[in-house]
Amino acid sequence: MRYRQWVLAALLSAAAPLLNAQPEPGSRDALIAAAKQAAGLDHAGTFRRLCAAPANQYGPPERPPSRSEPPPRDSWYARPYRVFDNLYFIGTRFHSAWALTTSEGIIVIDSVFEYAVEEEMVEGLRALGLDPNDVRYMLISHAHGDHDQGAAIFQRRFGTEIVMGEADWASTLAREGYPGGVPTRDIAVGPDGLDLTLGDTTVHVIATPGHTPGTLSYLFDVEEGGRTLTVMYAGGTAFNFPPSADAFELYRDSMIESAERARAAGATVLMSNHTEFDRAWDRARIAQLRRLPGEPHPYETDVDTVVRYFEMSRDCAEAERMRWE
Ligand SMILES: [Zn+2]
């Protein structure tokens, strides 16, 4: 018995320095710990992707899947939903596309893969009582297949003007044989961003290079039962670009800018173009439930929660930058 107590005491004293170990301030471990703290329970999906196992950066770069093999419909199809009074979800279970209605027509934010464009976006708009012919602009947050394969389709069929970051136009126009086709150049957004106004609605387009060189993020207002809420929409997330200290520095600085812009605008809603980062599909469905007086909209948080999303992303990017230094 005494021997067992002695072994236990010896083990505990040997482990004590490990149990009490604090990461060295400014180290990668300290940044990751700070990012985990900032993520809390609100941004766990993004923390997991960027900080817990950011190994996707070692994989091959993101490529659009071959048009001949779309995944089974049951794996991606989502019904369309009205989520705010002026914002409608027309995406899949994995990738978001939104219709923002204005007094002069519709602004669509992001597309989905080509195989889902007709059913989710074109038919989705109609099912919600909206007309695809009224889509004046489509904002493309970045030129990857999961967000841009409907651009040429809407441009061709509905006369929609496509808005994209300058650098992402360059890679788009260089394409051949792209699913959905290649759009012709419409509106290019440079480093200073752009205020896009349609009727009574303005979307503040912010250049946030990093995920791609031309990634765009957005600030805009939504209406909810007579209240106005401000949305910060993060346009590019994963670290699946060619890794280097410079690339992560660029990404990190875009997160600093995003945090500042979100705080200055008083954004209380965080949105992303992947449902794994903002739980769009879940929140769109929860938004259909009747709310009791005082119950918040499922997307509504507070400014600090929105800002913490970008502080977490900033710290994860800085931790990677240090690794490649
Ligand atoms: Zn992407």
Side-chain angles (χ1 to χ4, degrees), residues 32-45:
I32 291 168
K36 185 179 177 187
Q37 186 81 21
L41 295 175
D42 306 289
H43 310 305

Side-chain angles (χ1 to χ4, degrees), residues 25-275:
S27 65
R28 292 192 62 239
D29 283 351
L31 285 162
I32 291 168
K36 185 179 177 187
Q37 186 81 21
L41 295 175
D42 306 289
H43 310 305
T46 313
F47 174 78
R48 180 172 144 268
R49 198 75 175 302
L50 296 188
C51 251
N56 54 341
Q57 66 183 290
Y58 302 111
E62 198 172 310
R63 297 220 188 286
S66 126
R67 190 208 293 255
S68 56
E69 316 163 40
R73 181 183 182 280
D74 281 356
S75 70
W76 54 263
Y77 179 76
R79 278 175 47 199
Y81 296 102
R82 187 177 193 173
V83 176
F84 291 95
D85 296 349
N86 58 337
L87 190 70
Y88 300 74
F89 180 77
I90 50 172
T92 69
R93 293 182 193 185
F94 305 106
H95 301 108
S96 296
W98 296 93
L100 179 64
T101 53
T102 82
S103 59
E104 299 287 332
I106 300 167
I107 298 171
V108 163
I109 299 175
D110 279 318
S111 169
V112 292
F113 278 123
E114 183 260 355
Y115 60 76
V117 168
E118 188 69 29
E119 204 168 356
E120 299 284 22
M121 300 183 70
V122 178
E123 289 308 319
L125 285 166
R126 290 187 179 129
L128 293 162
L130 302 171
D131 185 349
N133 287 297
D134 292 339
V135 179
R136 300 275 174 270
Y137 298 108
M138 182 184 286
L139 300 175
I140 300 293
S141 54
H142 67 268
H144 283 163
D146 43 354
H147 312 296
D148 74 351
Q149 291 184 355
I153 296 171
F154 269 70
Q155 188 183 57
R156 217 165 43 228
R157 280 174 61 185
F158 308 117
T160 304
E161 281 193 79
I162 309 303
V163 183
M164 218 188 293
E166 179 76 56
D168 281 20
W169 269 119
S171 56
T172 295
L173 297 173
R175 284 172 176 152
E176 283 167 39
Y178 195 62
V182 178
T184 57
R185 184 183 160 111
D186 284 327
I187 299 171
V189 180
D192 294 337
L194 172 83
D195 281 354
L196 183 80
T197 298
L198 181 62
D200 55 2
T201 302
T202 295
V203 176
H204 304 283
V205 181
I206 307 164
T208 51
H211 179 71
T212 66
T215 294
L216 303 177
S217 298
Y218 313 114
L219 271 168
F220 56 94
D221 287 346
V222 289
E223 301 301 321
E224 144 75 359
R227 296 167 65 227
T228 301
L229 306 176
T230 300
V231 176
M232 179 73 192
Y233 184 104
T237 308
F239 289 169
N240 55 344
F241 43 83
S244 69
D246 286 349
F248 283 108
E249 185 177 332
L250 186 68
Y251 187 113
R252 179 202 68 194
D253 290 351
S254 288
M255 296 305 108
I256 294 170
E257 162 105 12
S258 297
E260 284 169 0
R261 292 291 300 264
R263 190 180 289 288
T268 57
V269 174
L270 183 279
M271 285 189 170
S272 164
N273 44 18
H274 283 258
T275 63

Side-chain angles (χ1 to χ4, degrees), residues 241-313:
F241 43 83
S244 69
D246 286 349
F248 283 108
E249 185 177 332
L250 186 68
Y251 187 113
R252 179 202 68 194
D253 290 351
S254 288
M255 296 305 108
I256 294 170
E257 162 105 12
S258 297
E260 284 169 0
R261 292 291 300 264
R263 190 180 289 288
T268 57
V269 174
L270 183 279
M271 285 189 170
S272 164
N273 44 18
H274 283 258
T275 63
E276 71 179 293
F277 302 139
D278 70 350
R279 296 183 289 128
W281 186 46
D282 293 331
R283 281 171 155 152
R285 288 178 292 163
I286 296 167
Q288 309 311 307
L289 301 172
R290 194 170 61 85
R291 283 188 289 288
L292 298 173
E295 273 191 315
H297 186 282
Y299 252 116
E300 184 178 6
T301 60
D302 52 35
V303 175
D304 273 341
T305 302
V306 174
V307 168
R308 279 193 286 105
Y309 181 91
F310 297 102
E311 291 175 343
M312 166 199 66
S313 307

